[in-house]
Amino acid sequence: EMSASLVGSEMCIRDSFMNGHNKWNLSFYTYKDGIDVSKLAASMGGGGHVKAAGASNLAELPEFLRKGKNAE
């Protein structure tokens, strides 16, 4: 499971928005070697490339994003 700290220092959420069906769409990217955001996206039913990937139509934000947002 990804942690909020990883999102902040190793990876970035490029886009997160609610689509017209009241579902979340997320895009991830990283510039760091050794981080594979396609695995994160795949765990949410999405896909992509090692350094850029995404997932769509999520009923709710993943827990690590909810925790990260509340931690600030």
Side-chain angles (χ1 to χ4, degrees), residues 2-3 5-6 8 11-12 15 18-19 24-25 28-30 40 42 45 48 52 57-58 60 63 67 69 71:
M2 287 286 197
S3 69
S5 62
L6 181 59
M11 184 186 84
C12 182
D15 293 308
M18 194 162 269
N19 65 28
W24 288 97
N25 291 355
F28 309 103
Y29 77 95
T30 185
L40 174 63
N57 291 317
L58 304 174
E60 59 183 31
E63 184 176 350
K67 284 182 179 177
K69 185 175 182 178

Side-chain angles (χ1 to χ4, degrees), residues 25-58:
N25 291 355
L26 303 173
S27 297
F28 309 103
Y29 77 95
T30 185
Y31 61 89
K32 297 248 183 175
D33 292 331
I35 303 291
D36 185 348
V37 296
S38 71
K39 290 180 181 177
L40 174 63
S43 75
M44 296 178 221
H49 302 277
V50 171
K51 296 196 182 258
S56 58
N57 291 317
L58 304 174

